[in-house]
Amino acid sequence: MSGNTPGRPSGNGHKVAGNASRGGGNQRRPNTGKSGRAGHSSASPASANGASRSERPKTSARALAVKVLSAVEQEGAYSNLELNRRLKEAELSPADAGLATELVYGTIARRNTLDYFLERYVAKGVSKLQPWVRSLLRISVYQMLYLDRIPEHAVVSEAVNLAKKLGHQGISGMVNGVLRNMIRNRDELRIPEHLSAAERISLEHSHPLWMVERWISHYGEETAEAICRANNEPPAVSVRVNTTMTTREKLMQEMESTGAIVEPSRLSPDGILVRSGGNMAHTSWYRDGLLSVQDESSMLVAEAVGPEDGQTVLDCCAAPGGKTAHMAEKMQDRGRIVANDVHAHKRQLIMDQADRLGLSCIDAVTGDALDLDKRYPEESFDRILLDAPCSGLGVIRRKPDVKWTKTAEDIQDISNLQRELLDRVAPLLKPGGVLVYSTCTIEPAENEHRIADFLARHPEYKAAKDSAWSGMETADLKVVNGGVQILPQYAHSDGFFIARLTRIAD
């Protein structure tokens, strides 16, 4: 249940801390949900009381990052929403906005590694610090260990000045002492040897130990480490072509004529990878409905559904509408798609997508997906998409907060919900129709185990024999129990699971 979002401004180059893996590639970006929008659009030029921006106190990139991280920790704020809100309020240069963004997402991504190193030098322990002081030390150590264009003396100086501004002389002295002591003992900032495989991976790639242990049990040590390494890499920027308006080849030519560096997706025939070209959501192509920002893995969902002209399609959990719109495009806007979501305010998101893309076949409705069997007669739909609520552990590179907020218990709870949702919507499909189940997680309990359980209890269903992904590079896809599991390292795209099932005709 994820999508691409407009690009995160690039920070400075990455540098290895101890045995930590080197990041690289494109830009990380905030994510606001399945295919939410995040940007740096300016706020109104004057505040409510008429004060102009120039009259307000200036905010530095580091101060903004500290405030965002503190709100995430203290108030449970979503990092992307809090960051975007504060970026709109502040008048930062593009470079400073990029640095603030890098500090927020990088610090969250590397949190337990940063705390492991800090713990040796903070006398009373990291957990005893005030949240804003803890955030300030974390962003400072992140700069020292992972960003190679900021001199260490500058990191310390900025941190001390900010500590004075936000606190008092005593705190600034402590911050100064901790950071200078770490610089003096830089060679000791390494992951210790002789750890278990799970402990080493957890510290080296900054993931919760329970999560690493779980993935080792599912996938083996080598693959589990590759997953964690990929989760710390900046995600690629990809867009989906609106084929009701143009072709991929024509749009790529237009993009290249402006200096953008693009290439065709090897996963989706409708996808374009944007290696360079700015924020795609701020372009005329986006405004005019020629493209949508979406991850490559997410594009495969509509491919699997394979809706045809004139069919009736149910999208059970549709908001904000990215996959809904892709299905409408594949139908050439001929037919009907019932796009349901439990949240009334998200109905407008679906319709906004449809309006921007010039799609009229989408009928957005509000209601609990568990009640769909009460609202529609059996055998009402030719195609059904259940893009199910999930743990989101396939999109950690876009939403690093997920690593620290999810628990093993959450996975079991949401797996139970997925089971019930499948049971409720299964009767709504016509015999011979296609039901696609998808998630943006890599957890077998939510994916292949869920489908195996469903098929065992529903003899009227079977795994589809005609693969929607035949001809694609097999290295990018793993077929399991009637579905395809995409891991985040396979194609530098989101971790996704997609199962294509058919209802046996009488």
Side-chain angles (χ1 to χ4, degrees):
M1 298 180 63
S2 81
N4 243 5
T5 51
R8 164 184 176 179
S10 59
N12 298 292
H14 293 265
K15 120 175 119 173
V16 176
N19 297 322
S21 65
R22 184 177 297 271
N26 291 309
Q27 302 162 351
R28 192 192 308 269
R29 72 201 118 300
N31 187 295
T32 60
K34 284 172 66 176
S35 59
R37 301 294 169 220
H40 303 145
S41 59
S42 298
S44 59
S47 64
N49 62 9
S52 68
R53 281 180 169 270
S54 60
E55 295 172 349
R56 301 178 197 169
K58 295 291 184 181
T59 300
S60 71
R62 291 171 179 83
L64 189 148
V66 167
K67 292 173 183 177
V68 171
L69 292 169
S70 298
V72 169
E73 186 171 357
Q74 284 184 284
E75 304 162 19
Y78 292 109
S79 59
N80 59 295
L81 300 181
E82 184 70 13
L83 174 64
N84 290 332
R85 182 180 71 81
R86 290 189 179 273
L87 283 173
K88 289 177 181 178
E89 292 175 353
E91 195 172 44
L92 297 181
S93 67
D96 279 345
L99 176 59
T101 306
E102 176 65 37
L103 292 179
V104 168
Y105 288 102
T107 298
I108 293 173
R110 298 286 184 176
R111 194 183 79 180
N112 72 340
T113 307
L114 300 173
D115 285 359
Y116 175 80
F117 292 135
L118 274 167
E119 199 65 43
R120 306 181 194 180
Y121 298 95
V122 177
K124 62 181 181 180
V126 175
S127 64
K128 300 293 181 62
L129 296 171
Q130 296 179 58
W132 74 265
V133 179
R134 184 163 50 245
S135 296
L136 176 57
L137 285 172
R138 283 172 175 167
I139 71 166
S140 301
V141 178
Y142 178 74
Q143 292 169 82
M144 288 162 49
L145 298 183
Y146 297 103
L147 302 184
D148 59 10
R149 296 182 184 175
I150 304 177
E152 290 175 338
H153 67 84
V155 172
V156 176
S157 176
E158 291 286 347
V160 169
N161 289 337
L162 190 52
K164 290 178 181 177
K165 182 178 180 180
L166 299 177
H168 52 73
Q169 190 69 35
I171 292 178
S172 67
M174 183 274 292
V175 168
N176 183 62
V178 167
L179 296 179
R180 292 193 180 280
N181 199 9
M182 294 181 78
I183 291 171
R184 284 193 297 270
N185 295 281
R186 183 60 179 269
D187 291 343
E188 296 180 8
L189 301 183
R190 294 184 173 275
I191 305 300
E193 299 178 0
H194 311 304
L195 296 174
S196 69
E199 290 171 329
R200 177 188 62 78
I201 294 170
S202 174
L203 276 179
E204 191 170 313
H205 303 292
S206 206
H207 282 65
L209 182 60
W210 73 266
M211 197 176 289
V212 176
E213 291 174 337
R214 191 177 179 98
W215 289 344
I216 289 177
S217 71
H218 295 329
Y219 297 107
E221 179 183 336
E222 183 178 349
T223 299
E225 182 164 15
I227 292 169
C228 293
R229 182 183 296 111
N231 285 342
N232 288 327
E233 295 173 354
V237 177
S238 53
V239 299
R240 185 190 78 240
V241 179
N242 182 354
T243 52
T244 68
M245 292 188 178
T246 187
T247 65
R248 179 163 75 172
E249 293 70 25
K250 183 178 179 181
L251 184 58
M252 286 180 63
Q253 290 175 359
E254 290 185 25
M255 297 171 82
E256 288 173 337
S257 70
T258 68
I261 301 174
V262 297
E263 62 187 68
S265 165
R266 58 193 176 98
L267 289 187
S268 170
D270 299 329
I272 298 174
L273 285 171
V274 183
R275 301 303 186 189
S276 175
N279 190 329
M280 288 294 107
H282 293 170
T283 64
S284 60
W285 306 308
Y286 181 88
R287 290 192 299 272
D288 295 341
L290 297 179
L291 61 79
S292 297
V293 186
Q294 186 179 20
D295 183 79
E296 289 181 280
S297 294
S298 181
M299 295 179 203
L300 291 179
V301 175
E303 296 288 341
V305 175
E308 300 175 3
D309 290 9
Q311 288 186 330
T312 302
V313 180
L314 172 62
D315 190 348
C316 304
C317 308
K323 299 180 186 71
T324 311
H326 193 190
M327 290 190 292
E329 291 164 3
K330 298 195 79 65
M331 296 166 67
Q332 290 298 300
D333 202 28
R334 292 191 286 268
R336 180 183 181 225
I337 299 178
V338 176
N340 176 78
D341 198 84
V342 68
H343 300 293
H345 69 279
K346 290 187 177 181
R347 180 184 179 278
Q348 190 59 46
L349 297 178
I350 300 171
M351 295 313 301
D352 287 346
Q353 287 259 31
D355 291 343
R356 181 180 65 82
L357 296 166
L359 302 170
S360 60
C361 73
I362 296 172
D363 179 14
V365 299
T366 300
D368 192 332
L370 290 171
D371 296 330
L372 286 168
D373 58 336
K374 301 173 185 175
R375 294 158 52 196
Y376 298 98
E378 292 188 7
E379 302 181 3
S380 295
F381 298 96
D382 301 290
R383 297 284 191 273
I384 294 177
L385 169 59
L386 175 56
D387 188 40
C390 70
S391 62
L393 298 186
V395 293
I396 287 175
R397 64 156 60 103
R398 298 186 190 280
K399 299 197 286 186
D401 317 50
V402 169
K403 287 192 290 192
W404 315 117
T405 57
K406 296 295 181 182
T407 67
E409 291 73 25
D410 292 333
I411 294 171
Q412 184 57 54
D413 290 344
I414 206 158
S415 177
N416 293 336
L417 172 62
Q418 293 161 347
R419 185 180 196 268
E420 189 173 1
L421 283 167
L422 276 167
D423 288 345
R424 294 292 184 90
V425 303
L428 301 180
L429 187 67
K430 296 177 181 179
V434 173
L435 166 63
V436 169
Y437 172 86
S438 64
T439 72
C440 61
T441 187
I442 60 174
E443 277 294 319
E446 301 177 67
N447 296 338
E448 62 259 36
H449 296 173
R450 180 54 45 237
I451 293 303
D453 169 76
F454 174 80
L455 292 175
R457 295 182 298 102
H458 289 269
E460 75 276 20
Y461 273 87
K462 64 179 181 179
K465 296 296 183 182
D466 52 327
S467 174
W469 25 79
S470 60
M472 296 183 182
E473 296 184 27
T474 56
D476 295 332
L477 304 169
K478 176 186 175 187
V479 180
V480 284
N481 287 352
V484 169
Q485 179 68 72
I486 306 170
L487 297 181
Q489 70 271 28
Y490 284 173
H492 201 70
S493 59
D494 289 348
F496 243 84
F497 178 81
I498 309 168
R500 191 170 193 259
L501 310 176
T502 58
R503 187 168 185 179
I504 300 170
D506 297 332

